[in-house]
Each structure stands twice: as structure tokens, then as C-alpha cells.
């Protein structure tokens, strides 16, 4: 074959000439010499004419628009550094300033005591289902789980591989519509920890206060993925709080763990290095390359929450949004129904069904035409679900309620 070995022959034998690179000096000239063009070459993104939707997704979920616009403005050149956050070394001074400020702002928001460590990890809250027993107990140790929904159940099942867990209360028989009274279940006397899911994303059940472990040496652990930073929390009541960021405080890819420092350092020998809290604590969440851009986005969200007046003010906004939506459901004379007991209804995730279930697909389709998306319920329970996290504006909930009333008027 006479063609160069660096050429490519297509099916019709047409030759594509081989690439002949220029000397590197010629490329450097383009980077360092002023352009001789009459107009400077620029790269621009066309302005979007697409209207943003009202996004009721359960996670990844909507982010505050001002946070997105801030990230957009800094995407190409972060604060004069000459590079994007996505290009930074995680050990460079620029990113260190980002992660340190994110931790500082989170500590301020939640008033995290100094005897707690804050870790920015990966793997989602689901990875913590294994990390917790591997770090906090031995294979034979008893631990207790209160199961108020699918995520509490998944946490329990994962713990079965690593310790001796017991479900001390389950809402499964009642389709996960309740939270137990705290004297309504018997804890294991020597349980190393008591685990709860503070807000069940799928079923819309939320703890309004928290149980106390019966064992004076035991600790309370909470998966707060879907209500993290939606309201003030007394961190000192917990041994560990963990949360996937992708619902309330950032994009997917970041998992936040808040852990009391005396619980760190007891991982079993078989614990994978990436699940060992001591490793991450000693290395300030920088043992390996962390999800840098995700942490940066979380930091922008924390800054935004502080600017709103902190979590007390954020909670007031969330209560108002939830009340409007739940009132619309309860006042619909049964056309819309929420199965969750009123006292434990989630401020974040509102599941509901239609009296005429055959209309649900039409409801979701028509809502989408009105730019309201991701209202379909989780595949395991059906119906509809509106996730109204911190970033959901009041106007978004008001538009949904107006649509619900109009839909009912046409189909009742």
C-alpha cells in the first residue's frame, strides 16, 4: 500500500491525509503574539431563548438561579485565577480557599460545634449505609433502625452485611405514611447507634423532632439527604449526620458527612480506605481528588442561604410553600389526596394522587405543557410528587396550585 501508514482508508478507498503537526513554536506564537486579525477572535455562547422550566424533580433538583448565574459568570475564569474551577488542582491555593470557605459557611449555617468534623465525600448517601457500620461497630454489635420509608429500609439491608441490625419500628405495613411515637418502639439496650432517615424522599414522611438512643453510650445517626439545610438542626443531638448534596445544596456527586470527632478512628481493618472516616478527616477531605466543582457549587449555595438570613428564614419560606400546596390538596374535596399523616408531612417532598387515577398521566402531561416538569411519582409508589426544596420559588408552587385547581374544574 502506497498510502502513508498514518492515513485512513474509507470504504470507497478515499484517502484522508495524515496529520502533520506544526513545530510547537508555531503554536506558542499564536498564544503569545498579538493577533493580526482586524477583529479579535472570540468564542461566545449564543443567548438562550428557552424559558426555564419549573423543576419539581426529587434529585438532582433545581438550584437557585442566582447561584447558577454566579457559577456561569465564573466558569471560564474563576475570580481572576485564569482557569475554571474544573481545571484547578485540588491541592492548589485556589481550591483550598473554596473548600475551606464552604466548610466555614456550612458550620455557620448549622451552628456545627467544634467537636464535629465536616467531610466532603463521594459515593452518595447510599455509600454511607456501609461506611457507618464499618466505622462505628464490630460484626456482632447490635444497632437499631427506624424504617419510615424506602431509604431507611435500604440502609438497614446494607447494614446486615456488616453488623447485627434490628428494625425496631417499620411503617411498611401502613405504606410508609407515619413516623412512630418515640415510646412506641423498644430499642435494643446496648445498640451502638439508632439510625433514622430524617426525611423520606419517596414517601414524603419527615421527622419533626428526633428520638434519643436508649443506650447512654449509643448515638443517633440521620440520613438527611432530602431535608439537609432546609431548617435549623441541633447537630449536638447526633453522632453522625450525612446527606447527598443533590437535593437541597448542590449538584450530584457530593456527599456531606458531619461526624463527632470521638467516633472517628475505629474503622475495622477490612474497611476500604475510601470509607474510612479517619483517612478523610486527617486529609481534610483531600485524600484523593474530591468532586471539586460540586463542592464549589455547594459553597455558592451555602453563601446564598446565609444571604437569605440563615436557616430560620429558609424554614419559614419552606413552611409557607408547603402549606399552600398541602392546603390545595386537602381542600380539593378528595380530588387530590396526600396519604401521609398530617403531623409528619414533609416540607420538601409532597406525594399526592388523584381520586381518578386514570387522569394522572394526563395531569403530568398537561403540567409539562405549562413548563412544570418532573411531577411523576417515584416508580415504586406511582401517583405524583412535587419536590419543593429550598430553591423552588414561591411562584413555582403557586403556579402548580393554580394548575391543580384548573385541572380539577375541568375533570371533577
Amino acid at each position: 500500500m502506497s498510502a502513508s501508514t498514518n492515513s485512513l482508508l474509507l470504504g470507497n478507498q478515499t484517502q484522508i491525509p495524515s496529520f502533520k503537526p506544526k513545530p510547537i513554536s508555531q503554536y506558542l506564537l499564536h498564544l503569545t503574539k498579538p493577533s493580526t486579525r482586524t477583529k479579535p477572535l472570540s468564542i461566545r455562547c449564543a443567548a438562550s431563548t428557552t424559558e426555564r422550566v419549573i423543576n419539581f424533580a426529587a434529585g438532582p433538583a433545581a438550584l437557585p438561579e442566582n447561584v447558577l448565574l454566579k457559577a456561569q459568570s465564573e466558569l471560564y475564569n474563576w475570580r481572576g485565577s485564569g482557569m475554571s474551577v474544573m481545571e484547578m488542582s485540588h491541592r492548589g491555593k485556589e481550591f483550598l480557599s473554596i473548600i475551606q470557605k464552604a466548610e466555614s459557611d456550612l458550620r455557620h449555617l448549622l451552628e456545627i460545634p467544634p467537636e464535629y468534623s465536616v467531610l466532603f465525600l463521594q459515593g452518595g448517601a447510599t455509600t454511607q449505609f456501609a461506611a457507618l457500620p464499618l466505622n462505628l461497630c464490630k460484626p456482632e454489635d447490635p444497632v437499631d433502625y427506624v424504617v419510615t420509608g424506602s431509604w431507611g429500609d435500604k440502609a438497614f439491608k446494607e447494614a446486615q452485611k456488616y453488623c447485627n441490625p434490628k428494625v425496631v419500628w417499620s411503617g411498611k405495613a401502613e405504606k410508609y405514611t407515619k413516623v412512630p411515637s418515640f415510646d412506641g418502639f423498644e430499642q435494643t439496650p446496648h445498640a451502638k447507634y439508632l439510625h433514622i432517615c430524617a426525611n423520606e424522599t419517596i414517601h414524603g414522611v419527615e421527622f419533626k423532632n428526633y428520638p434519643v438512643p436508649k443506650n447512654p453510650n449509643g448515638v443517633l445517626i440521620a440520613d438527611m439527604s432530602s431535608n439537609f439545610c432546609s431548617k435549623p438542626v441541633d447537630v449536638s443531638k447526633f453522632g453522625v449526620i450525612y446527606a447527598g448534596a443533590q437535593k437541597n445544596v448542590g449538584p450530584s456527586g457530593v456527599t456531606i458527612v458531619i461526624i463527632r470527632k470521638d467516633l472517628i478512628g475505629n474503622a475495622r481493618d477490612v474497611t476500604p480506605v475510601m470509607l474510612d472516616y479517619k483517612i478523610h478527616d486527617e486529609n481534610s477531605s483531600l485524600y484523593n481528588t474530591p468532586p471539586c466543582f460540586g463542592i464549589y457549587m455547594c459553597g455558592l449555595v451555602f453563601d446564598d442561604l446565609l444571604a437569605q438570613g440563615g436557616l430560620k428564614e429558609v424554614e419559614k419560606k419552606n413552611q409557607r410553600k408547603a402549606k399552600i400546596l398541602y392546603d390545595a390538596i386537602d381542600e380539593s374535596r378528595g380530588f387530590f389526596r396526600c396519604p401521609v399523616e398530617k403531623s409528619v408531612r414533609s416540607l420538601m417532598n409532597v406525594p399526592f394522587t388523584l381520586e381518578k387515577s386514570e387522569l394522572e398521566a394526563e395531569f403530568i402531561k398537561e403540567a409539562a405543557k405549562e413548563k412544570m416538569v418532573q411531577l411523576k411519582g417515584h416508580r415504586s409508589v406511582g401517583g405524583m410528587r412535587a419536590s419543593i426544596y429550598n430553591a423552588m420559588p414561591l411562584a413555582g408552587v403557586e403556579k402548580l396550585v393554580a394548575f391543580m385547581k384548573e385541572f380539577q374544574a375541568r375533570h371533577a
Side-chain angles (χ1 to χ4, degrees):
M1 184 180 293
S2 60
S4 164
T5 55
N6 288 329
S7 298
L8 176 66
L9 291 178
L10 302 181
N12 61 3
Q13 300 300 303
T14 301
Q15 289 188 1
I16 298 178
S18 59
F19 172 68
K20 296 180 179 179
K22 300 175 183 178
I24 190 64
S25 59
Q26 292 188 30
Y27 291 101
L28 293 175
L29 285 172
H30 287 292
L31 294 174
T32 58
K33 282 192 173 182
S35 173
T36 57
R37 296 173 182 265
T38 56
K39 291 184 179 180
L41 178 65
S42 63
I43 301 173
R44 296 179 181 273
C45 294
S48 174
T49 58
T50 303
E51 179 186 352
R52 280 180 60 81
V53 298
I54 302 173
N55 183 5
F56 291 95
L63 288 164
E65 286 197 11
N66 57 318
V67 166
L68 292 173
L69 292 171
K70 176 73 170 176
Q72 181 188 49
S73 72
E74 297 183 334
L75 181 64
Y76 183 68
N77 183 351
W78 182 80
R79 303 182 189 181
S81 66
M83 56 186 161
S84 171
V85 174
M86 290 185 284
E87 302 171 300
M88 292 176 179
S89 166
H90 62 292
R91 304 196 189 281
K93 63 180 182 179
E94 295 86 0
F95 183 72
L96 288 178
S97 71
I98 289 172
I99 193 171
Q100 288 166 3
K101 185 177 187 303
E103 178 178 339
S104 176
D105 285 350
L106 179 58
R107 285 184 177 277
H108 188 185
L109 276 169
L110 284 170
E111 299 180 0
I112 299 172
E115 59 268 24
Y116 284 75
S117 289
V118 175
L119 308 176
F120 293 98
L121 307 178
Q122 303 181 65
T126 302
T127 300
Q128 298 306 308
F129 297 167
L132 289 163
L134 285 169
N135 279 270
L136 302 183
C137 55
K138 298 179 176 61
E140 66 276 8
D141 284 342
V143 295
D144 287 345
Y145 282 74
V146 176
V147 177
T148 52
S150 294
W151 293 108
D153 184 55
K154 291 176 187 290
F156 163 73
K157 288 176 178 176
E158 185 72 357
Q160 288 180 308
K161 302 174 184 178
Y162 306 109
C163 59
N164 183 22
K166 177 182 178 182
V167 174
V168 294
W169 188 90
S170 173
K172 186 175 183 178
E174 296 174 281
K175 297 184 179 180
Y176 297 128
T177 55
K178 296 181 178 180
V179 167
S181 61
F182 299 150
D183 57 1
F185 58 89
E186 185 64 32
Q187 297 185 44
T188 306
H190 302 294
K192 284 282 188 175
Y193 62 77
L194 174 64
H195 182 282
I196 64 170
C197 180
N199 184 84
E200 284 283 354
T201 317
I202 294 174
H203 295 91
V205 177
E206 183 174 19
F207 281 81
K208 304 303 180 180
N209 47 51
Y210 306 104
V212 177
K214 183 175 182 179
N215 179 5
N217 296 316
V219 295
L220 180 63
I221 295 175
D223 175 356
M224 292 192 179
S225 292
S226 52
N227 66 350
F228 189 67
C229 285
S230 67
K231 60 183 179 181
V233 172
D234 184 352
V235 173
S236 67
K237 290 183 177 181
F238 300 85
V240 184
I241 292 170
Y242 64 100
Q246 70 275 9
K247 302 175 186 298
N248 245 337
V249 297
S252 58
V254 180
T255 307
I256 297 169
V257 173
I258 302 170
I259 180 170
R260 211 173 66 201
K261 291 181 178 180
D262 64 303
L263 299 174
I264 297 173
N266 301 305
R268 298 181 212 170
D269 292 341
V270 297
T271 303
V273 66
M274 289 303 293
L275 300 189
D276 188 337
Y277 295 139
K278 183 180 179 182
I279 293 291
H280 294 295
D281 184 50
E282 289 179 341
N283 289 276
S284 302
S285 302
L286 298 171
Y287 174 73
N288 71 329
T289 307
C292 297
F293 195 79
I295 293 170
Y296 158 73
M297 289 296 294
C298 289
L300 294 184
V301 173
F302 298 153
D303 191 55
D304 178 64
L305 294 175
L306 288 170
Q308 292 182 48
L311 297 188
K312 288 182 180 179
E313 292 302 314
V314 170
E315 181 182 29
K316 290 176 185 177
K317 295 177 183 179
N318 288 332
Q319 288 171 335
R320 184 181 180 191
K321 291 184 297 184
K323 184 178 188 306
I324 290 172
L325 183 49
Y326 283 121
D327 283 352
I329 294 169
D330 294 339
E331 293 169 4
S332 70
R333 301 184 302 280
F335 187 83
F336 297 102
R337 299 174 178 177
C338 175
V340 181
E341 187 179 276
K342 288 186 178 182
S343 63
V344 294
R345 285 177 171 178
S346 170
L347 296 184
M348 299 286 100
N349 309 102
V350 182
F352 59 99
T353 58
L354 282 169
E355 181 182 26
K356 301 175 182 178
S357 59
E358 66 272 15
L359 292 175
E360 290 177 355
E362 184 178 350
F363 178 92
I364 293 166
K365 183 178 179 180
E366 290 190 14
K369 290 179 180 178
E370 298 297 325
K371 303 293 185 180
M372 292 178 286
V373 301
Q374 299 295 324
L375 282 165
K376 186 176 182 179
H378 190 271
R379 61 186 180 277
S380 66
V381 296
M384 279 77 66
R385 174 179 55 178
S387 294
I388 51 175
Y389 299 122
N390 292 348
M392 173 60 63
L394 177 63
V397 177
E398 290 175 335
K399 182 174 180 179
L400 174 60
V401 166
F403 171 76
M404 292 167 67
K405 291 179 178 179
E406 187 272 337
F407 187 88
Q408 180 178 356
R410 287 190 287 112
H411 294 283

